Amino acid sequence: MKKLLLLLTLISTFTMAAQNNGSIEGIITEASGTPLSGATVHIKSIDKGTVTDYDGKFILDNLADGTYEVSVSYVGFATTTQSVSVTAGKATKFTTSLKESDSILNEVVITANKQPQKITDVPATVNVITSKDIEEFPSFNIGELAARQKGVDFVRSGVLGTGINIRGFNSAFNSKNLQVTDDRLSTLIATGLPMGSFSTVTKDDISRVEILLGPNGTLYGPNAHNGLVSTITKDPRKSEGTIVALGFGNQSVLTTRLRHAEAINEKFAYKFHFERSQGKEFNYADSVYVGTKAYQELDLDRKFDSKKYGASLYYKPTKGSEVIGYYGHSNNSNIGITSAGRNQIKDWTIDVAQLKFVSKHFFANTYYTWSKTDKTYAMNQRTQNYVSFIENGFSEAEARERSFTEQWFPLGPGVGVPLQRGALFKDASERFNAEAQYNNSWNDLHVTLGAQYQLDMADSKGTYLLDEGGIDLDQTGIYTQLEYKLADSGWGFLFGGRIDNHELYGSNFIPKLAVTKKLNNGTFRVTYGKGIAVPSILNLKGNLFGGLVLGNGEGFTLTDGTKIDKLDVETINSYEIGYKGQLSEKLFIDVNAYYNQSDNFISPLRNIADAANGNFVTHVGDKPIGEVSEGNTGAFILTYSNFGHVDTYGADIGLNYYFTDNFRTSFNYSYFDRDLDTDDLANDGNLDGQVLENELPINTPNHKFSVGMHYNKGKFYGAVFGRYVEKYDFFSGINVAAKTQDQDGDGINEIVENAQVGRTWNYGQLGGFTIDANAGYNVSDQLSMGLSITNLLNAEIREFVASPAIETLVSLELKYKFSLKQKPATVN
């Protein structure tokens, strides 16, 4: 009886305690009224919080009587804080929305310092493509959104191909802007080029893209030289549900996508995605010249096809830590542009496996990348090979078959020898990466310590690299970064340093310094950063077209004893000032000016032999050239070397003005210029005794600007975006897009517009003015439809070398979102 009375007393006590407590419940939405899944609702004073469910709903229960400061946050939106009173035994309703207009200054970014920070606190120029931008862009190719960012040189090379460059030094083989996806490199192994459409992630799984302007090598290592592009995917716990999308467009474009995410319980969550996209490039052929006669690229296939899929599993071993596993795959067939003509890419696959541990103070990450193709070939070289056989009496079938590996060199009527001029590219390269990082804060000081390791295992099966037995190159980086912020005065200080060691070119120190000061409704910053651009494996170990092109990872020796030094890293020292803030209630500004000092450029391919005077290449490093490249006499060797110094400078300005919360306009302007000493022969890239502008791969317009109008209200959204790029010259390998000009002052125009120049046809300068537009309508919370039009007025404009003029592109997308799992929000 006593035990029963005790049990009843305990039950009564708990019941009374529950009745003395209340709760807060409600819905969190975006400014448009769309429920925001995965938003964090938190009460700091009692350290209690939750995340909203698929429908934007949340519950905070078992709260004592009183008034609480409730904050609502979500990466990419403003954080809002409101006072909410709780009454015992009752549920207090609390509903709010996160406004896009507020997020300009309060937005949180992650990439700059590898931790969440308000964008105004980041000592760098950062552009953000938000989840909302992506959601409201009805095209499978979100690369187009980069055209709307300040300080970014955006180019379109066709229906599928888009690319970006930052602050100069562009080319058709540009590896100076590092691309990262979820803390893993998104670059090809042997070339160092960005993966672009080879990426294994799909549009619907991307949460945001952060673009950092200027060097960012301290935390991210080599090749974050001019800038960094970081793609961050969605957390399945904050993006539960299923998305099915179908897209159509002209040029026979068709895309289908599927994404599903679900939190199984407090410990486990998962997501998976799939995409299939196909279409047809514009009707354009990059002429192949044999002498002065032009031929169309052999077996040109303008169809493109991309398949990609991936899955992630998230596991929380403790409340404050998480283990994430990911696997992704892509298969691509399309046309790729290089400095030596275009490549016909056939079934090039990328596979990535990643395991990552994240906690408050410790981060560990390891991943493995596989790259594979057996059928890709260089169209320019293959076409030349084919013509050499046809013109010497070989059959069509034999000419086609041998064109992949050989070129016929006639010695007389009916007599000749086959030269090894392989056009076929194979790749079976792999890469292993690992990183560990520790960070912590003590009062106003935040410390980050980390180490990274990378092992590249390149294997071209002997088709384009000196890789008999494979090429293994490793590099290690150790970094630290100290941030000290004085909250009362608004001053902030940052120092970072990295020592990067590479197997072939030794150690490099990469420092970073910054001072920030909060002023009124913004932050002023002064920064210094160093960047390095590492020669790719192709630069170091290339063996193209039967030894006609050799990489320079070991140096060369000539008959007369002349030494050609091996390639070293390119360097850039960048100084920047900037301000990001609010000039009035409705006007926001982000402005910067920079000055760069760049050294040790990698030259264009140049012949280092002088056979006419008996000066041959005799050795590659310590080995006779015949041992390195079988049968090679060293009479004609194209390779790379370091040269030169140039100062570049410029400014970017971005303005956003909000007429209302639903309607805003944006304006971006960028200026870029350079100071090259043409009297300094150290700047002579091809060693012909003259310093010419086209030897330096600047390839950047002096002026560009854009104006956008953005509207979003209720179920409708839309934008109109005009972009102007001042006409400019572009030189990259054999590719020329330039105005008629006398380059060396001898009275003869070496470059002629709309005429053959060297081994290509010069259509003239790049650039011009285009207008893009997109609009959409949310039929319901589940169903939406959107329309995107690129080059609305069908302006005659060419944006990249070896590429067609961009015609109007139309994309229509239907998207359906649903959830089979309706669950109440739970407290974390």
Side-chain angles (χ1 to χ4, degrees):
M1 189 67 174
K2 289 182 179 180
K3 291 182 179 180
L4 178 60
L5 289 174
L6 177 61
L7 178 61
L8 291 174
T9 300
L10 290 173
I11 293 174
S12 176
T13 301
F14 288 134
T15 301
M16 292 177 63
Q19 291 175 346
N20 287 332
N21 290 333
S23 64
I24 301 174
E25 60 184 52
I27 300 175
I28 307 302
T29 67
E30 299 180 26
S32 63
T34 303
L36 188 59
S37 171
T40 298
V41 185
H42 187 255
I43 301 174
K44 184 177 181 180
S45 61
I46 58 174
D47 193 22
K48 189 167 189 175
T50 186
V51 295
T52 56
D53 65 12
Y54 177 80
D55 298 311
K57 296 178 181 179
F58 75 93
I59 299 172
L60 285 171
D61 56 12
N62 199 27
L63 299 175
D65 216 31
T67 300
Y68 299 90
E69 295 294 315
V70 180
S71 68
V72 182
S73 62
Y74 192 81
V75 172
F77 289 83
T79 297
T80 183
T81 302
Q82 297 183 34
S83 295
V84 180
S85 297
V86 174
T87 303
K90 294 184 178 181
T92 302
K93 298 294 183 182
F94 173 69
T95 298
T96 191
S97 62
L98 303 184
K99 295 181 180 180
E100 183 188 8
S101 59
D102 293 335
S103 69
I104 295 294
L105 295 183
N106 294 324
E107 189 168 43
V108 175
V109 296
I110 300 169
T111 304
N113 290 322
K114 291 195 173 183
Q115 61 171 319
Q117 284 185 300
K118 279 183 62 176
I119 197 168
T120 50
D121 292 340
V122 174
T125 300
V126 185
N127 295 333
V128 180
I129 300 173
T130 67
S131 58
K132 187 171 184 179
D133 295 330
I134 297 169
E135 179 80 13
E136 296 181 355
F137 189 71
S139 170
F140 73 97
N141 191 353
I142 69 166
E144 297 179 45
L145 288 172
R148 307 182 179 188
Q149 309 304 312
K150 67 181 178 300
V152 172
D153 294 329
F154 171 84
V155 296
R156 178 182 280 281
S157 60
V159 178
L160 177 67
T162 60
I164 71 169
N165 187 58
I166 298 171
R167 296 180 177 176
F169 307 103
N170 200 4
S171 74
F173 231 58
N174 184 12
S175 60
K176 290 185 173 66
N177 299 306
L178 188 65
Q179 293 196 5
V180 177
T181 302
D182 285 345
D183 301 301
R184 58 183 185 268
L185 297 182
S186 289
T187 59
L188 296 176
I189 297 162
T191 64
L193 296 176
M195 284 186 185
S197 61
F198 285 24
S199 171
T200 62
V201 302
T202 62
K203 169 188 173 182
D204 302 303
D205 195 40
I206 296 176
S207 173
R208 58 201 287 104
V209 179
E210 298 178 1
I211 304 174
L212 277 65
L213 310 189
N216 286 276
T218 303
L219 294 182
Y220 290 92
N223 296 337
H225 180 271
N226 287 1
L228 175 72
V229 181
S230 175
T231 300
I232 301 162
T233 65
K234 296 176 180 177
D235 185 327
R237 291 187 176 86
K238 298 181 179 181
S239 57
E240 285 192 275
T242 304
I243 298 175
V244 179
L246 182 63
F248 311 86
N250 60 331
Q251 296 299 127
S252 304
V253 170
L254 174 64
T255 179
T256 55
R257 303 192 306 273
L258 169 69
R259 179 188 184 270
H260 176 76
E262 183 176 344
I264 301 173
N265 52 39
E266 292 184 359
K267 293 287 187 181
F268 287 96
Y270 71 93
K271 64 178 180 178
F272 61 81
H273 60 265
F274 169 84
E275 178 185 297
R276 170 74 184 273
S277 298
Q278 62 186 43
K280 198 170 187 179
E281 283 293 352
F282 295 120
N283 189 13
Y284 168 82
D286 186 26
S287 298
V288 178
Y289 285 91
V290 179
T292 58
K293 188 174 180 180
Y295 296 84
Q296 181 170 312
E297 295 156 310
L298 181 64
D299 293 339
L300 171 62
D301 184 359
R302 295 189 290 115
K303 294 179 182 178
F304 62 83
D305 186 278
S306 173
K307 296 179 284 290
K308 55 184 68 178
Y309 54 81
S312 299
L313 178 64
Y314 288 60
Y315 170 65
K316 281 179 170 277
T318 66
K319 181 179 179 180
S321 65
E322 190 162 45
V323 177
I324 304 168
Y326 170 77
Y327 170 75
H329 171 86
S330 71
N331 183 301
N332 304 271
S333 296
N334 52 39
I335 294 173
I337 300 172
T338 78
S339 297
R342 305 200 298 178
N343 285 347
Q344 190 80 62
I345 297 170
K346 296 283 190 179
D347 291 322
W348 195 317
T349 62
I350 299 293
D351 292 87
V352 180
Q354 181 183 29
L355 186 64
K356 182 165 61 173
F357 174 80
V358 182
S359 66
K360 184 176 181 180
H361 297 300
F362 186 72
F363 167 84
N365 180 32
T366 183
Y367 57 97
Y368 207 92
T369 307
W370 299 264
S371 169
K372 184 174 179 58
T373 183
D374 291 316
K375 304 174 184 178
T376 295
Y377 61 87
M379 286 191 279
N380 191 293
Q381 185 63 46
R382 186 184 174 214
T383 305
Q384 291 183 67
N385 293 351
Y386 166 81
V387 170
S388 75
F389 285 103
I390 289 294
E391 290 187 343
N392 285 279
F394 290 81
S395 69
E396 174 76 11
E398 186 173 359
R400 284 182 175 275
E401 181 180 354
R402 299 181 70 175
S403 65
F404 285 105
T405 57
E406 297 175 319
Q407 185 177 104
W408 187 259
F409 184 76
L411 298 175
V415 180
V417 294
L419 302 179
Q420 297 302 309
R421 296 287 185 261
L424 186 66
F425 293 153
K426 296 185 178 182
D427 193 74
S429 299
E430 300 176 8
R431 173 189 285 153
F432 172 74
N433 293 80
E435 179 178 8
Q437 181 192 105
Y438 173 79
N439 68 87
N440 209 338
S441 296
W442 293 272
N443 297 321
D444 297 323
L445 178 66
H446 184 81
V447 178
T448 302
L449 302 169
Q452 293 171 323
Y453 174 78
Q454 178 172 315
L455 174 62
D456 290 322
M457 296 159 279
D459 186 0
S460 75
K461 306 297 182 184
T463 58
Y464 69 95
L465 296 174
L466 295 166
D467 61 353
E468 184 178 349
I471 298 173
D472 292 354
L473 294 176
D474 65 22
Q475 54 188 305
T476 304
I478 300 172
Y479 62 86
T480 184
Q481 186 164 280
L482 309 176
E483 297 175 78
Y484 187 70
K485 293 187 179 296
L486 300 172
D488 294 337
S489 65
W491 285 97
F493 303 90
L494 180 146
F495 168 76
R498 178 190 187 94
I499 297 177
D500 210 80
N501 184 271
H502 189 282
E503 184 175 334
L504 282 186
Y505 40 76
S507 296
N508 289 272
F509 178 61
I510 309 174
K512 181 179 181 180
L513 298 169
V515 178
T516 59
K517 177 68 168 72
K518 292 186 177 181
L519 298 171
N520 299 322
N521 293 320
T523 302
F524 177 79
R525 64 183 181 276
V526 178
T527 64
Y528 161 75
K530 182 178 180 178
I532 63 173
V534 173
S536 68
I537 292 177
L538 183 63
N539 292 142
L540 299 168
K541 296 289 187 177
N543 180 25
L544 287 81
F545 316 131
L548 187 66
V549 176
L550 292 179
N552 186 6
E554 306 292 336
F556 297 89
T557 303
L558 306 186
T559 305
D560 65 0
T562 300
K563 299 285 187 180
I564 306 294
D565 291 334
K566 68 178 183 180
L567 284 179
D568 201 351
V569 299
E570 298 183 45
T571 63
I572 184 171
N573 289 282
S574 182
Y575 308 85
E576 181 176 334
I577 60 172
Y579 175 80
K580 187 180 186 78
Q582 186 174 359
L583 297 183
S584 68
E585 182 181 354
K586 297 184 177 182
L587 179 61
F588 300 85
I589 186 172
D590 188 356
V591 61
N592 68 73
Y594 58 89
Y595 187 85
N596 299 329
Q597 297 171 319
S598 300
D599 295 276
N600 267 3
F601 304 105
I602 295 178
S603 72
L605 284 171
R606 62 184 184 87
N607 179 24
I608 57 174
D610 184 9
N613 293 306
N615 204 16
F616 291 65
V617 174
T618 61
H619 288 76
V620 179
D622 296 328
K623 292 183 179 180
I625 189 167
E627 294 183 12
V628 175
S629 178
E630 186 177 353
N632 200 325
T633 64
F636 188 86
I637 299 294
L638 294 171
T639 192
Y640 311 92
S641 61
N642 293 107
F643 78 102
H645 169 90
V646 67
D647 295 335
T648 59
Y649 47 89
D652 307 302
I653 182 170
L655 298 172
N656 280 272
Y657 185 81
Y658 286 81
F659 295 97
T660 67
D661 286 347
N662 308 113
F663 178 51
R664 70 178 174 93
T665 183
S666 60
F667 173 81
N668 295 322
Y669 167 76
S670 292
Y671 169 74
F672 177 89
D673 211 341
R674 57 193 175 275
D675 183 10
L676 174 67
D677 185 355
T678 56
D679 294 324
D680 185 357
L681 290 182
N683 292 324
D684 181 13
N686 62 3
L687 299 182
D688 63 355
Q690 300 179 86
V691 177
L692 302 179
E693 290 277 352
N694 69 308
E695 294 173 6
L696 203 62
I698 297 291
N699 297 331
T700 300
N702 290 116
H703 302 275
K704 57 181 181 285
F705 72 84
S706 62
V707 178
M709 309 294 286
H710 312 261
Y711 182 79
N712 188 316
K713 187 173 183 179
K715 296 184 176 183
F716 177 81
Y717 62 84
V720 178
F721 188 82
R723 180 168 60 100
Y724 169 76
V725 176
E726 183 184 31
K727 295 282 187 177
Y728 67 105
D729 294 343
F730 198 109
F731 298 91
S732 177
I734 69 169
N735 302 312
V736 177
K739 63 183 178 182
T740 299
Q741 57 192 274
D742 174 10
Q743 292 194 305
D744 55 13
D746 63 357
I748 300 174
N749 290 327
E750 292 83 11
I751 306 296
V752 179
E753 192 171 349
N754 291 313
Q756 180 186 351
V757 175
R759 291 171 54 196
T760 189
W761 183 269
N762 174 28
Y763 288 95
Q765 293 182 304
L766 305 179
F769 179 74
T770 57
I771 296 177
D772 302 336
N774 65 276
Y777 184 76
N778 295 309
V779 180
S780 66
D781 288 343
Q782 288 77 40
L783 179 63
S784 65
M785 58 179 64
L787 177 69
S788 172
I789 304 177
T790 298
N791 196 2
L792 179 65
L793 303 181
N794 203 22
E796 180 71 21
I797 183 171
R798 197 176 301 271
E799 297 190 1
F800 206 53
V801 290
S803 302
I806 303 304
E807 302 172 15
T808 298
L809 289 171
V810 179
S811 297
L812 176 66
E813 184 173 276
L814 300 176
K815 187 183 295 184
Y816 187 72
K817 299 185 292 185
F818 63 95
S819 176
L820 300 177
K821 176 184 177 184
Q822 299 293 335
K823 64 169 189 174
T826 57
V827 176
N828 281 350

